[in-house]
Amino acid sequence: NNYKNYPIGKIFISYLIEWCYKNNLKKFDFCLGDENYKKFFSNKKQIISKYFFGKSLKGKIIIFLINFYLKLKN
């Protein structure tokens, strides 16, 4: 009765996150997608991939400079 007003998915994820915390896991990966429950439970968003494509010479030069900057930043 305590949980009848909550969706079963949120209850399940709550237990999973609690289990992770008790077992000293630092991250919980929701995988791809932008569903609302992920925003509800998350405090940080991580981009897992980037793809740049330049069609013209100017675009290719810009892409090269961006990639060079990102490599220097890392």
Side-chain angles (χ1 to χ4, degrees):
N1 270 346
N2 293 340
Y3 300 109
K4 68 181 180 181
N5 294 327
Y6 299 99
I8 190 71
K10 283 190 177 183
I11 295 169
F12 181 66
I13 292 172
S14 295
Y15 279 111
L16 285 175
I17 292 172
E18 184 179 344
W19 181 89
C20 291
Y21 180 78
K22 287 179 181 177
N23 288 279
N24 204 27
L25 297 172
K26 303 293 182 194
K27 289 186 179 182
F28 187 88
D29 187 355
F30 285 111
C31 298
L32 297 175
D34 60 350
E35 290 82 3
N36 285 331
Y37 74 90
K38 295 177 183 181
K39 295 173 187 168
F40 178 81
F41 284 104
S42 299
N43 59 357
K44 189 175 181 181
K45 187 175 184 178
Q46 182 176 356
I47 298 172
I48 58 172
S49 65
K50 293 179 186 174
Y51 180 76
F52 299 104
F53 179 76
K55 291 183 178 182
S56 67
L57 179 61
K58 181 179 177 182
K60 290 179 181 183
I61 291 171
I62 291 171
I63 298 303
F64 173 79
L65 293 173
I66 290 172
N67 286 330
F68 184 72
Y69 170 76
L70 292 175
K71 285 181 183 179
L72 287 177
K73 186 177 176 183
N74 289 333

